[in-house]
Amino acid sequence: MTANDYLGALTGVRSGKRSYYPEYVRTAERLERAVGALDRISRALVRTGEGPRALVEAVVRAAADHVQADWLLFALADGALRAARPRFLLLAGENLVEDERLFPPDALAHLRILRTRPWEAGEPTGSGVRVPMTLDCEPVGGIAARPAAGMEVADTDLAVLRVLANQAAVALHNSFLVHATMRLRGRTEQLSEAAEQQARDLAARNAELQETQRRLIGVMQRQALDDERHRIARELHDSVTQDVLSAGMMIEICRSDLTEPDADLAAVREKLTEAKALTRHAVERLRAAIYALHHNESEPPGSLPVLLERLSTVHLPTDLEVGVTVLGEPVPLPGEAEHSLLRITGEALFNTVMHTNATRARIRLRYLPDRIRLSISDDGDGDPGQLRRTLRLASATNLAGTHRGLANMRARTEELGGTLAIRRSRIGGIQVLLEIPLPLEAG
C-alpha cells in the first residue's frame, strides 16, 4: 500500500466531487471519528510512566470506543515483550477480563491466533475484526474486536486500530525501559549508599587498625630495647663477676705477700695495678648495665634512627665513643624488622665492647630506593678474617656463646631477605654490613 492509498484508507476520501455528497458526509463522519480516535490514542499512549497495565487498559478502552465493540481483545504473542504485563486483556462492556476461561468462544479463537500465530493477525477473519501489532517489523501480537450490531467498520477504522496497536507496542517497550531504568536507578542509589557506608566503615576500621599497629610497633620497639638491655645485663653480670673475683684474688695475694719480711714491693705494686685495671673495667661494665636497666618502657617509641641513638647509649662505657649517622629519607618499617635490626646492632656493639679495645664505634644507616644499608664499624684490633671463619664454624656446628651471637645476627638478616658481611672498617677495626631489600612486608 502506497502512502496515498494509506492516507485514503485513513480518511475515506476517494473523490471530492459534490455529486458524491452522501459518501462525502460518511467520509466526514469517519474523519471526525478518526481524529477523535487519534486524540484518545495520544492520551492513552502518554501513560507510559504509569506502568504497563495502565497503558494496556487505556489502549483497550480507546480501541473499543472507536469501533463501538461488544468486546475487544488486546494480546501479546508468546515470547514477545516478555516483561510486559498483562499478556492479554479483554474488555467486555465495562468489565476487564484476564481469565481466558471467561472469554466468549469467538474471542478465545482470536486469542489463540494472536498468541501463537501473530503473523496471521492481518489475514481476513470470519467474525469480527483483527489487526496485527508489530515492533521493528516483527509481529508481537494484535487487537481483535467484535463491533456492535450495525457498526460498519471501514478501512479507516482498521487503519486507526493498526496505528493504535503498533504505537501500543512501542509504548509498552518504552514503559518497560522506563521502569527498568527507574529500578536500576533505585538499585544504583541503594548500592551507592551501601558503598558509601562501607567506605565509612572501612575508613573507621582502617583508622582503628593503624592505631593498633602503631601501638603494637611501639610495644615491639620497647620490647626490643628491653630484651637487649636484659641480655646486656646478664652478659655484664658474668663479666663483672669475673673481674671482681680476679681483682679480689690479686689483692688477697698482695696482702699475703706483704706479710713476708722480704716481700717484693715492685711485684706487689704490679699486681695491685692489675687489680685496679680489673676493678676499673668492672665499674665501666656496671655503669653501662645500670644505664641500660634505668631506661624502661616509659620511654616513648620512635623511628629506627631514634631507636639506634638510644641503643648506642646502652653500650656506652667511659672509653667508647658511639656515633649514629642517618642518610636518605627514612621509611616506616614493620615492627618485626625494626626489632631484628635493633638486635643485630646491639649484638655488634656489645661484641665491640666485650672483645676489642676499640675507642670509637660508628653506626651508619642509609635509606636507598630499593634497600636499607646498615653498618656498625669500630677502630679496635679485631680480625675480620678470623670472625668470618668463626661465623662459618658457628653456623656449621651450632656452637653456643659469643660465636652463637654472630650466627644469630646472620640468621636475623636472612629472615629479612638481606645479606650480612664482615670486613675491615675504614677506621681500622671491624665493620658489620647489612643490606636489607625494600619494601619489607609485615610478618
Side-chain angles (χ1 to χ4, degrees):
M1 181 181 290
T2 66
N4 291 332
D5 293 336
Y6 190 81
L7 184 60
L10 180 63
T11 62
V13 176
R14 296 178 176 84
S15 175
K17 296 180 180 180
R18 294 290 182 177
S19 59
Y20 295 96
Y21 182 74
E23 182 179 354
Y24 174 79
V25 171
R26 288 194 299 272
T27 299
E29 292 175 351
R30 292 192 187 101
L31 181 59
E32 183 178 358
R33 287 173 51 205
V35 171
L38 292 175
D39 178 64
R40 289 191 295 272
I41 291 172
S42 65
R43 281 186 279 127
L45 296 181
V46 296
R47 303 182 69 174
T48 303
E50 298 180 19
R53 183 174 185 85
L55 174 64
V56 170
E57 290 182 4
V59 167
V60 167
R61 293 186 186 279
D65 184 59
H66 179 67
V67 295
Q68 300 176 16
D70 292 333
W71 58 259
L72 185 135
L73 172 66
F74 175 96
L76 293 173
D78 295 341
L81 298 173
R82 295 177 181 274
R85 294 293 184 276
R87 302 296 298 172
F88 53 85
L89 189 64
L90 179 76
L91 177 64
E94 293 298 325
N95 299 320
L96 292 169
V97 183
E98 293 185 65
D99 188 351
E100 59 183 295
R101 293 174 299 180
L102 303 178
F103 283 15
D106 51 348
L108 194 59
H110 285 294
L111 176 64
R112 294 192 184 99
I113 292 176
L114 295 178
R115 291 187 63 182
T116 61
R117 303 190 302 277
W119 55 87
E120 298 180 7
E123 296 179 0
T125 174
S127 62
V129 294
R130 187 175 63 221
V131 295
M133 178 191 307
T134 60
L135 181 65
D136 293 333
C137 299
E138 293 292 332
V140 294
I143 293 177
R146 184 174 66 193
M151 173 64 184
E152 180 183 354
V153 178
D155 291 342
T156 304
D157 302 313
L158 294 177
V160 169
L161 290 180
R162 282 193 294 270
V163 170
L164 180 59
N166 293 336
Q167 292 303 312
V170 174
L172 278 174
H173 183 61
N174 290 341
S175 176
F176 164 73
L177 294 178
V178 167
H179 284 268
T181 302
M182 292 175 63
R183 287 195 300 271
L184 289 175
R185 181 183 301 171
R187 181 60 177 162
T188 301
E189 291 175 354
Q190 292 178 356
L191 292 175
S192 177
E193 183 178 352
E196 291 176 359
Q197 182 61 41
Q198 289 181 356
R200 290 192 294 268
D201 294 343
L202 182 60
R205 293 192 182 97
N206 187 52
E208 294 175 0
L209 180 61
Q210 289 179 347
E211 177 62 20
T212 302
Q213 185 178 18
R214 185 188 65 79
R215 293 179 180 178
L216 180 60
I217 290 175
V219 170
M220 295 186 67
Q221 290 172 343
R222 290 191 292 270
Q223 184 63 41
L225 287 175
D226 288 343
D227 290 346
E228 187 65 15
R229 289 164 185 153
H230 294 159
R231 186 185 69 83
I232 294 169
R234 289 192 298 270
E235 294 283 352
L236 290 180
H237 175 269
D238 295 340
S239 62
V240 168
T241 300
Q242 294 177 3
D243 289 345
V244 171
L245 288 176
S246 298
M249 291 177 61
M250 288 186 179
I251 292 173
E252 188 64 29
I253 293 173
C254 290
R255 190 178 69 171
S256 176
D257 290 345
L258 289 175
T259 60
E260 299 294 334
D262 55 348
D264 186 352
L265 296 180
V268 171
R269 187 181 298 109
E270 183 179 350
K271 290 177 181 178
L272 289 175
T273 300
E274 187 175 351
K276 178 182 177 182
L278 288 172
T279 303
R280 179 175 176 273
H281 191 257
V283 169
E284 292 174 352
R285 301 300 187 271
L286 284 173
R287 184 180 293 117
I290 291 171
Y291 184 88
L293 296 176
H294 175 70
H295 291 71
N296 53 36
E297 65 275 2
S298 63
E299 294 177 330
S303 63
L304 181 59
V306 173
L307 294 171
L308 290 176
E309 286 281 0
R310 295 177 189 168
L311 187 62
S312 68
T313 62
V314 171
H315 297 271
L316 183 61
T318 56
D319 56 353
L320 181 65
E321 173 194 351
V322 180
V324 177
T325 302
V326 179
L327 301 174
E329 183 67 24
V331 296
L333 302 176
E336 300 89 339
E338 289 192 346
H339 177 92
S340 296
L341 293 174
L342 285 172
R343 293 300 302 271
I344 294 170
T345 306
E347 183 72 37
L349 285 176
F350 189 78
N351 289 340
T352 298
V353 172
M354 294 299 297
H355 303 297
T356 72
N357 58 357
T359 60
R360 289 185 299 158
R362 295 289 180 265
I363 301 173
R364 183 183 177 91
L365 175 63
R366 184 174 184 181
Y367 291 93
L368 297 171
D370 58 345
R371 64 189 185 280
I372 294 174
R373 180 176 293 167
L374 175 64
S375 65
I376 304 95
S377 306
D378 63 61
D379 63 349
D381 56 357
D383 183 359
Q386 179 61 37
L387 275 185
R388 287 193 291 269
R389 288 190 293 273
T390 301
L391 178 58
R392 289 194 295 270
L393 180 63
S395 300
T397 59
N398 194 25
L399 295 178
T402 57
H403 302 327
R404 188 67 251 168
L406 289 173
N408 288 340
M409 291 167 61
R410 186 167 69 178
R412 289 180 183 277
T413 304
E414 291 175 350
E415 287 175 359
L416 297 176
T419 59
L420 181 144
I422 299 174
R423 59 181 65 172
R424 177 70 64 185
S425 73
R426 293 184 179 181
I427 56 177
I430 292 175
Q431 181 189 70
V432 177
L433 176 64
L434 291 77
E435 290 200 355
I436 309 297
L438 290 176
L440 290 173
E441 297 183 359

